[in-house]
Structures are given as C-alpha cells and as structure tokens.
Amino acid sequence: SRICVITLPEAHPLLQSGKTIKNINYQISANCSRLQNKVSGKSKRGAQFLTELAPLCRISSSDGEEYTIYSCIRGRLIEVNENILSNPALLQEKPSTEGYIAVVLPKFEESKSVTQGLLTQKEYEEVLLKRRSSAS
C-alpha cells in the first residue's frame, strides 16, 4: 500500500530534549486548516493536496519554541490525528504509533519514487551519527 504515515523522527528536538508539548495547531493560515480536510470515497475526493513543503501543523513547546511539521511528500491528505490535540503527550510517548501526525497518500505514479527515496533504519541511524559527530 502506498499510504505514508507522517510522524516525528526520533531525532526531533521535541523528542530529544525532554520538552513538554504545549499546543498542536492544524490551522496553517487564516484560510487553511488541516482539520477541515474532508475525504470521501475510494478516490479520496475532497482531500487537500499537499506538496513536499506544505505545512501540516505547528507544535509549540512549553519553552516557547515552535516547530512547523511539513508533509515532505506530495500527495493527498487522508487524515490528521485529532487524538494528539487532546493528548499531545502521545507525540512523545508513542511517536511512531498512536502519536502520528497525519496520513498522506502519494499519487500512484509518484509512489515508487517516494519509497525509493526513503532511508532504511540503518541508513537513518548512520545519518544521525554523522550529524552528531560533525556537531561536536
């Protein structure tokens, strides 16, 4: 299946620094709320179309930092996780399961290039190691 579940990566500052999440906002601009996404039918009619750089939500932490989470994939927004609005701790406690941010469905013809561009867990860990060693 070509469904992509958008989550916070384990290296995200919100998961690393022991910060507390104060607020999650799916209101991207005055005219655009990801909560207004209404999808119906097999062809996912009504789904908002996202580009790689489309913001999905903004997360505020208790220390005043704000993080914009981007789609990173072109496709239709199938759903946003409204459970994290009432329980933001899910993002930190279960980031890859119940604390997901959104589900995106890439176009069929683009799905192969999306999956080919993904890193394996091992490749991702190597990138993090290089990043940490160059930062110190």
Side-chain angles (χ1 to χ4, degrees):
S1 98
R2 35 181 241 264
I3 288 181
C4 298
V5 179
I6 311 297
T7 65
L8 283 181
E10 58 190 50
H12 194 281
L14 278 167
L15 302 180
Q16 291 298 307
S17 57
K19 294 183 180 192
T20 304
I21 296 173
K22 189 175 82 178
N23 181 35
I24 299 163
N25 190 354
Y26 283 111
Q27 185 76 38
I28 301 309
S29 67
N31 297 327
C32 180
S33 171
R34 300 298 179 211
L35 292 172
Q36 300 302 313
N37 191 55
K38 300 290 180 232
V39 180
S40 67
K42 195 166 69 174
S43 62
K44 308 302 178 207
R45 281 188 313 275
Q48 295 174 14
F49 187 79
L50 305 171
T51 65
E52 298 92 325
L53 301 174
L56 287 170
C57 67
R58 293 192 177 81
I59 303 173
S60 305
S61 64
S62 53
D63 65 358
E65 289 285 326
E66 184 175 88
Y67 302 91
T68 301
I69 308 302
Y70 296 93
S71 171
C72 302
I73 315 170
R74 284 170 43 92
R76 293 178 180 273
L77 179 63
I78 301 303
E79 75 174 66
V80 295
N81 185 1
E82 294 185 34
N83 295 332
I84 60 175
L85 296 174
S86 58
N87 188 1
L90 282 174
L91 272 174
Q92 293 164 309
E93 293 165 6
K94 300 178 179 181
S96 58
T97 56
E98 294 170 49
Y100 71 96
I101 295 167
V103 177
V104 177
L105 184 66
K107 285 184 172 179
F108 182 77
E109 57 273 12
E110 294 177 9
S111 60
K112 194 171 193 99
S113 65
V114 167
T115 53
Q116 286 174 340
L118 297 175
L119 300 177
T120 65
Q121 182 69 27
K122 190 174 192 290
E123 291 168 331
Y124 174 68
E125 288 166 1
E126 288 169 4
V127 168
L128 292 179
L129 276 172
K130 285 179 192 166
R131 201 180 286 169
R132 287 185 191 120
S133 63
S134 67
S136 53

